[in-house]
Amino acid sequence: MLEVLTESLVDIAKTLPLLLLVYALLYYIENRLTNTPALLSRAARFGPVVGALAGTVPQCGFSAAAAALFSAGYLAPATLVAVFLATSDEAVPVLLAGGAGVSRVVWLLVVKFALAVLGGYALRWTVFRAHKPLSDEPLEIEMDDCSCCGGASPAATVLWRTVKTALFLFAVMLALNIGIAWIGEARLSALLLADSMWQPLLCAVLGLVPSCAMSVLLSELFLSGTISFGALVAGLSTGAGFGYIVLFGEKEGRRRALPVIAATFVIAVIGGTLLQLFA
């Protein structure tokens, strides 16, 4: 139990600096930059590429940061999906430490980047085509949405928002890590149907569990030969970690969370299955 508690605290601690930076940026945008929505609207055409690049960085906090920006209205849904698809959380260091080799890890990142860009643009031109770009009007979003920080200083407002999100993340992460420890890695690997064409689908479902531990588990299963490369890609592509938790934790993001998560899942399964069949 102590190990699970420590692991959860470490995961949250690694995310805190990025969350603090994002909420500070949001506060600055909402209170200082009146032309930012128009600038972001004009730059939206490059969204999936930029999102895929950001997600490729092996840092589990980027998905949470992107989800916060999406909830605040500063990120298009297709761009957020691209971030989620490209995210690998802790997979890169785990694979390198496990002897996967630099070339194989680079190939994984290239494949996930390509899947994120192609999937992002495909969604932007189809499913999310009706999404309206940001207008020139400033968005009305309450940063100090609690009674205890009404009229507080900018630093206090940003700090409260960060702490509130971190506490929510910690509660969910602790519960998930306890569940994962109780189920056990051996039982999970037995459920993943080795050498089956359904493996990418099953790993994509596993990746939906919002925990950085999933990327570690999937990487270890791949290194042991339990899952295929296509299944690894599918699982890591849905493994957006804290991003899902932040989506449901933010009032503005909840109602738009399910279409984004569903789109991420479908693209991940398609990409992973095609890799399993043809790569």
Side-chain angles (χ1 to χ4, degrees), residues 29 36 82 124 132 146 231 238 271 279:
I29 288 173
T36 298
R124 185 184 170 211
K132 294 181 180 179
C146 61
T238 57

Side-chain angles (χ1 to χ4, degrees), residues 12 15-24 61 64-65 68 158 162 165-166 169 246:
I12 299 302
T15 309
L16 274 177
L18 195 54
L19 279 177
L20 187 63
L21 180 62
V22 167
Y23 285 127
V158 171
T162 304
T165 301
L169 286 173
V246 172

Side-chain angles (χ1 to χ4, degrees), residues 65-266:
L69 289 170
F70 172 76
S71 297
Y74 292 107
L75 210 64
T79 302
L80 181 61
V81 171
V83 175
F84 285 175
L85 289 171
T87 299
S88 299
D89 284 349
E90 306 296 332
V92 171
V94 172
L95 289 172
L96 289 174
V102 175
S103 60
R104 183 174 290 186
V105 172
V106 170
W107 175 238
L108 171 68
L109 295 177
V110 168
V111 168
K112 280 174 58 62
F113 174 79
L115 181 64
V117 172
L118 292 174
Y121 277 110
L123 291 169
R124 185 184 170 211
W125 293 330
T126 56
V127 177
F128 298 127
R129 187 174 183 179
H131 174 75
K132 294 181 180 179
L134 293 167
S135 66
D136 293 337
E137 296 296 324
L139 296 176
E140 296 179 0
I141 299 165
E142 296 180 4
M143 284 297 290
D144 46 348
D145 53 356
C146 61
S147 57
C148 63
C149 47
S153 66
T157 301
V158 171
L159 184 61
W160 167 248
R161 192 71 181 276
T162 304
V163 169
K164 187 176 71 169
T165 301
L167 289 174
F168 181 71
L169 286 173
F170 175 71
V172 176
M173 279 293 299
L174 183 60
L176 287 171
N177 286 340
I178 290 174
I180 292 168
W182 178 75
I183 293 172
E185 184 177 325
R187 193 177 301 174
L188 279 174
S189 63
L191 295 172
L192 290 177
L193 302 178
D195 301 321
S196 167
M197 67 172 293
W198 299 107
Q199 200 176 71
L201 173 64
L202 295 172
C203 286
V205 172
L206 190 62
L208 288 174
V209 178
S211 169
C212 291
M214 284 298 100
S215 62
V216 176
L217 175 62
L218 288 166
S219 300
E220 290 177 346
L221 291 174
F222 173 70
L223 289 170
S224 66
T226 303
I227 63 174
S228 66
F229 181 74
L232 176 67
V233 169
L236 292 180
S237 295
T238 57
F242 296 153
Y244 298 144
I245 302 177
V246 172
L247 275 184
F248 286 104
E250 295 285 346
K251 217 168 23 175
E252 295 297 323
R254 275 178 215 151
R255 57 191 172 85
R256 298 180 293 157
L258 289 179
V260 167
I261 295 173
T264 303
F265 178 78
V266 170

